[in-house]
Amino acid sequence: MDACYIETPLGYAKIIGDQDGITSVSIVDKPENASEYIPEPLVDCVTQLKAYFNNQLKTFDLKLNPEGTLFQKNVWKQLALIPYGKTISYLDLAKQLGDAKAIRAVANANSKNPIWIIVPCHRVIGTDGSLTGYAGGLYRKQWLLNHESEHKQQTLF
């Protein structure tokens, strides 16, 4: 697997993947052994993440290859359908997956999402609209939601 780090407004994004796709994008405060070199299989991911943070990209188009259970992968696929600038509750996400009673399992799968921002787990909130757990920290989740709400396209009728 290839790896690289890029600086973002929220810390350093650590990107891992190969020719089969991106397996992980996580956030770290300080990179380990970072270099400026971007391995070829990660170039598109780096380019798209930079565009996202520069308000030039709202939808990612990358080959993804996350590791997880079938259930987790189904949750992550559903997360990828949440539009830029929108949020959904854990309960509504569970209902979309066909079982409102699976809310805890859905929340757990959401928390195990290995592909930060690209698979937008930050767009899932509590039923009451509250911010709930986020592996990168609630301040990062709030930043991402603010970033997207401030830069979503405005439609005029």
Side-chain angles (χ1 to χ4, degrees):
M1 288 283 166
D2 292 312
C4 70
Y5 293 89
I6 62 166
E7 191 170 1
T8 77
L10 297 172
Y12 289 86
K14 180 180 182 181
I15 304 164
I16 299 173
D18 58 22
Q19 67 279 357
D20 294 326
I22 301 301
T23 59
S24 173
V25 176
S26 58
I27 190 75
V28 297
D29 291 321
K30 189 168 183 164
E32 309 162 5
N33 305 320
S35 82
E36 304 257 331
Y37 174 71
I38 310 289
E40 181 60 34
L42 308 181
V43 169
D44 284 345
C45 185
V46 167
T47 301
Q48 290 185 39
L49 280 171
K50 287 181 178 181
Y52 169 86
F53 283 110
N54 286 321
N55 307 315
Q56 299 167 335
L57 181 79
K58 293 180 173 75
T59 304
F60 292 92
D61 183 19
L62 296 166
K63 186 176 180 182
L64 304 178
N65 190 21
E67 292 182 18
T69 67
L70 181 59
F71 180 77
Q72 288 171 331
K73 289 180 180 183
N74 285 336
V75 171
W76 302 335
K77 284 181 185 175
Q78 198 67 37
L79 290 173
L81 300 177
I82 304 169
Y84 181 97
K86 301 287 185 185
T87 58
I88 187 173
S89 72
Y90 288 97
L91 178 60
D92 287 337
L93 183 58
K95 287 178 181 177
Q96 287 180 359
L97 288 160
D99 187 358
K101 294 178 184 175
I103 188 169
R104 288 181 191 252
V106 166
N108 186 46
N110 190 57
S111 73
K112 303 271 192 281
N113 170 24
I115 304 180
W116 181 66
I117 296 181
I118 297 165
V119 176
C121 56
H122 62 277
R123 296 179 188 156
V124 183
I125 59 174
T127 305
D128 63 357
S130 65
L131 293 188
T132 55
Y134 187 64
L138 288 180
Y139 73 97
R140 286 186 175 117
K141 183 173 188 166
Q142 184 67 66
W143 190 96
L144 290 165
L145 293 173
N146 290 346
H147 173 75
E148 292 182 4
S149 69
E150 292 169 5
H151 298 102
K152 65 183 174 183
Q153 290 181 326
Q154 300 297 322
T155 304
L156 301 175
F157 294 96

